[in-house]
Structures are given as C-alpha cells and as structure tokens.
C-alpha cells in the first residue's frame, strides 16, 4: 500500500511497526520499506507499542509526511489483551482508515473475523490476500456479504507489486472466467516503458534483435506477475489454464533462461550463431544447467526472431502493445475482438 501511495499518488509515506510479538517483524518491515524507498520508524527495545505509536505520529506531523501507516501485530485468534492494545493505539493515532488484512483462503472464517473487528474496533475497510485464482475470487463475495465492510485492496501474489485497488467489475469477470483485460493493460504499462519499446522497435526494424533484447523481454514479462496470473487476465484463457502442461507455466523457467543468457559473453549475445558445441558446454556449466537447456533457449530465440520480423508494427508483441495502449485504444481493440 505504501508503494502504491508513493508511486501512483506521489505521497510521502512513513511506516511504523508496532509488532513486538512476531520474531523479526520489525526487521522485515524495515527491509520492505528500504526496498521501496519509504521511511521507517521502529520500536525501541522494550517500548510499549502505544508509546511508539504516539512518537511516530509526532514525527510524521513534525516532518510533514502525507501518510503514516501503522502496522500492528497480526492476530490469528481474537485475543483480549491484543484487542485492548489495538483499541488504545486507535485512540492515540485517530486514523483516517482502519484496514484489516484477511486471508481469502479462510473463506467464512475471514468473514467472521472481519465482523468481530468491525464490532470491537471499528474498521473502515478490508485488504484480501491471495486472490490469485478465479475460484478464490468468490471469497470476496462471502467476506463482503457477511461482514458488510468495504473491500479496499486485493493482493494477487507474494511479491510487493501484486496488489490492486478493489474493482467489483473485475472480480465479477474473474468469477465468470472472463479475464481482466484492464489489469493486464495496467501491468503492461508499468512493465514496458517508452524507451524500451522504442529500442525494441529499432532493433526489429534494423533486424538486430538479439539475446540482450530477449533477456530484456523476459525481465519485463516477469514484472507483470506469474504466467498463470497473466493468462487469467486474458479473456477466455482462464478455462484453458488447467489443460496446459504445468512445465510451460513454470515461472522459474523464465529465470533459468535469463541465467543462460547471463552466462554468455557479450559477443555471443549479439551473435548467437557463433555458439557451437564447446561454447554451449561452457555456458551450461556457467549457469548450472544442461546443454539441452541451452539448445532449447537458442531454438526459442530463433523462433522469436522469426516472429519479430513478422510483427514490425507491434514492437513488444501482444503484451508490449498493451503497454502502449490508453483506455480508449483498449476498448476499440475489445470491440474488434468481439
């Protein structure tokens, strides 16, 4: 959430951890804060979370932060002492939003926990985690129906980028297995910048598409999330996911291909045709894979190179094209698809 506020709304964010119960909770949140370049305020050893909350709020006001996010200790069960602590913290901070994070996989249990927190503490919204499958999207209906609390965010994977603001129509489409083309466009726009698209277009127009370009494509697609989640966003594709060979949906395969390219010399990346038997053995040893893996990559590169020559009007292929779309372009494309 801090990353979203910082990048999409240009907010100055301060994160504070009040979790004194889970081992390394402070260190984990500080590491996350560092990774997205937002400031962090932690507990002093032995300090009561209430006191820390007060000091963090004072610092946020003094240093003109736009947003203070107070991360409290997680609660797997309703604990009276922890609930009392939470009530006290809420009085001290007087938050604009009080969000409860619940696991969508727990279904009815998540809904009951949300109802309890709503009654005991007073929450303004929910963040549902692990909505990374079409079937799990149905949990949203269960939680909303029972708890009657607004759903603010969904997380669709384990990485820090896999979070989205809740949109009812998108969830409806997922439940009906109609995909989520809007999210696909947004992810493509975030992954493919104009400079990369221009560079790829130039490489294609000059016939210089090489393994460096292919590596860059792999890295960009990896930013968009898992292959299964990308397929789930494409209208009509979710029903085919179970019929595809799991090895073809293995996200680690893309990382292995990047590792193979990284094991090559600069010259080999630019001129793959020079990679013969001895070079293949050296490359395979360098990345800890087999010569067969290297052969598969080179075969795939030749196929991609051929395909690229046929797609001169669309420099980044399907996903790169989406990255360059605005909403009106997208609607026109959907109309054409119909």
């Amino acid at each position: 959430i801090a990353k979203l506020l910082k990048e999409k709304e240009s907010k100055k964010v301060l994160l504070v951890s009040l979790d004194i119960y889970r081992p390394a909770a402070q260190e984990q949140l500080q590491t996350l804060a560092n990774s997205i370049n937002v400031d962090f305020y932690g507990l002093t050893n032995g300090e009561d979370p209430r006191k820390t909350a007060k000091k963090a709020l004072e610092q946020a006001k003094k240093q003109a932060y736009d947003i203070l996010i107070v991360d409290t200790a997680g609660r797997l069960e309703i604990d009276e002492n922890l609930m009392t602590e939470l009530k006290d913290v809420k009085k001290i901070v007087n938050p604009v939003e009080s969000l409860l994070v619940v696991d969508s996989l727990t279904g009815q249990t998540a809904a009951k926990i949300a109802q309890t927190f709503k009654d005991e503490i007073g929450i303004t919204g929910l963040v549902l985690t692990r909505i990374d499958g079409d079937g799990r999207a149905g949990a949203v209906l269960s939680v909303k129906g029972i708890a009657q609390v607004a759903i603010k965010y969904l997380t669709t994977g384990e990485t820090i980028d896999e979070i989205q603001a809740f949109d009812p129509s998108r969830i409806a489409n997922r439940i009906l297995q109609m995909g989520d083309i809007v999210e696909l466009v947004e992810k493509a726009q975030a992954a493919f910048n104009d400079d990369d698209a221009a560079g790829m277009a130039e490489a294609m127009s000059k016939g210089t598409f090489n393994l460096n370009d292919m590596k860059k494509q792999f890295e960009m697609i990896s930013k968009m999330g898992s292959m299964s989640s990308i397929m789930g966003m494409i209208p009509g594709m979710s029903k085919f996911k179970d019929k595809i060979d799991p090895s073809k949906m293995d996200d680690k395969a893309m990382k292995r291909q990047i590792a193979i390219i990284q094991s090559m010399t600069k010259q080999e990346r630019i001129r793959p045709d020079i990679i013969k038997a001895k070079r293949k053995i050296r490359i395979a040893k360098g990345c800890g894979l087999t010569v067969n893996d290297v052969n598969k990559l080179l075969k795939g590169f030749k196929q991609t190179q051929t395909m690229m020559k046929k797609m001169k009007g669309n420099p980044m292929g399907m996903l790169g094209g989406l990255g360059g779309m605005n909403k009106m372009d997208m609607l026109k494309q959907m109309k054409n698809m119909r």
Side-chain angles (χ1 to χ4, degrees):
I1 293 173
K3 188 173 188 289
L4 282 178
L5 291 169
K6 176 177 177 281
E7 294 181 356
K8 294 198 172 183
E9 299 185 30
S10 300
K11 299 294 185 183
K12 183 182 178 183
V13 183
L14 176 64
L15 281 175
V16 56
S17 173
L18 302 185
D19 191 348
I20 60 173
Y21 307 99
R22 185 167 59 85
Q26 300 277 312
E27 291 84 352
Q28 184 185 41
L29 189 62
Q30 185 165 16
T31 299
L32 286 169
N34 292 340
S35 71
I36 58 171
N37 294 316
V38 301
D39 294 328
F40 173 81
Y41 188 98
L43 279 161
T44 304
N45 287 338
E47 187 173 73
D48 186 279
R50 298 166 184 83
K51 189 174 180 181
T52 304
K54 188 175 181 180
K55 286 162 66 176
L57 181 60
E58 289 171 355
Q59 178 171 316
K61 289 179 177 178
K62 190 182 296 183
Q63 298 186 9
Y65 283 91
D66 299 308
I67 307 283
L68 170 66
I69 298 181
V70 180
D71 182 34
T72 62
R75 291 156 179 78
L76 294 175
E77 298 176 355
I78 306 303
D79 181 291
E80 189 174 333
N81 292 330
L82 287 175
M83 292 297 269
T84 300
E85 178 190 293
L86 193 55
K87 288 177 185 177
D88 292 342
V89 167
K90 189 176 179 184
K91 285 178 184 176
I92 293 165
V93 177
N94 189 25
V96 175
E97 294 272 15
S98 300
L99 304 180
L100 175 67
V101 182
V102 292
D103 184 345
S104 66
L105 293 187
T106 59
Q108 298 286 333
T109 303
K112 289 174 183 175
I113 291 172
Q115 182 65 54
T116 301
F117 272 84
K118 179 187 173 186
D119 296 340
E120 292 282 329
I121 308 294
I123 55 176
T124 59
L126 298 170
V127 179
L128 288 187
T129 67
R130 298 208 277 184
I131 305 287
D132 51 358
D134 300 320
R136 295 175 189 176
V140 175
L141 296 178
S142 176
V143 174
K144 178 73 173 85
I146 294 174
Q148 289 298 303
V149 177
I151 297 167
K152 297 297 179 81
Y153 294 102
L154 304 175
T155 72
T156 56
E158 295 181 358
T159 69
I160 201 163
D161 294 304
E162 293 177 294
I163 181 170
Q164 59 185 243
F166 173 66
D167 183 320
S169 63
R170 295 188 190 185
I171 285 295
N173 285 343
R174 283 197 172 198
I175 293 171
L176 296 172
Q177 295 192 338
M178 292 167 62
D180 188 349
I181 195 71
V182 176
E183 185 184 354
L184 183 63
V185 170
E186 288 176 350
K187 283 184 176 290
Q189 286 172 334
F192 300 86
N193 62 50
D194 293 340
D195 291 339
D196 289 325
M200 200 69 70
E202 186 179 357
M204 285 171 54
S205 63
K206 292 182 178 179
T208 58
F209 181 80
N210 57 42
L211 285 165
N212 286 321
D213 299 315
M214 193 176 192
K215 174 175 169 283
K216 188 176 288 185
Q217 279 200 335
F218 287 150
E219 290 169 343
M220 288 175 182
I221 293 170
S222 295
K223 289 180 186 177
M224 293 178 63
S226 65
M227 291 306 294
S228 59
S229 70
I230 291 172
M231 277 195 69
M233 290 178 235
I234 301 172
M237 288 300 289
S238 56
K239 60 186 176 184
F240 295 113
K241 284 195 293 185
D242 296 335
K243 299 176 183 178
I244 295 175
D245 179 356
S247 65
K248 304 293 184 186
M249 300 282 282
D250 182 8
D251 298 306
K252 291 180 181 177
M254 200 172 290
K255 292 180 181 177
R256 288 194 287 269
Q257 289 175 315
I258 292 172
I260 292 170
I261 297 172
Q262 286 175 330
S263 296
M264 297 176 184
T265 65
K266 290 181 181 180
Q267 190 180 20
E268 288 167 346
R269 295 185 198 183
I270 296 169
R271 292 184 55 212
D273 55 295
I274 67 171
I275 303 175
K276 305 302 179 185
K278 287 184 179 180
R279 289 178 184 262
K280 289 176 183 178
I281 294 169
R282 192 205 74 245
I283 292 166
K285 286 182 178 179
C287 61
L289 295 169
T290 66
V291 170
N292 188 40
D293 292 321
V294 177
N295 285 331
K296 284 181 180 178
L297 173 80
L298 293 172
K299 182 181 177 182
F301 169 73
K302 286 182 180 178
Q303 291 172 342
T304 304
Q305 200 174 37
T306 301
M307 182 182 70
M308 284 293 184
K309 289 176 183 176
K310 296 176 182 178
M311 297 176 64
K312 288 185 178 179
N314 187 0
M316 297 297 283
M318 176 192 163
L319 297 175
L322 289 173
M325 274 186 178
N326 57 37
K327 296 288 169 64
M328 289 304 295
D329 292 332
M330 179 190 70
L331 291 172
K332 286 176 186 175
Q333 288 281 32
M334 289 178 73
K335 191 174 180 182
N336 291 338
M337 284 167 68
R338 242 185 243 121

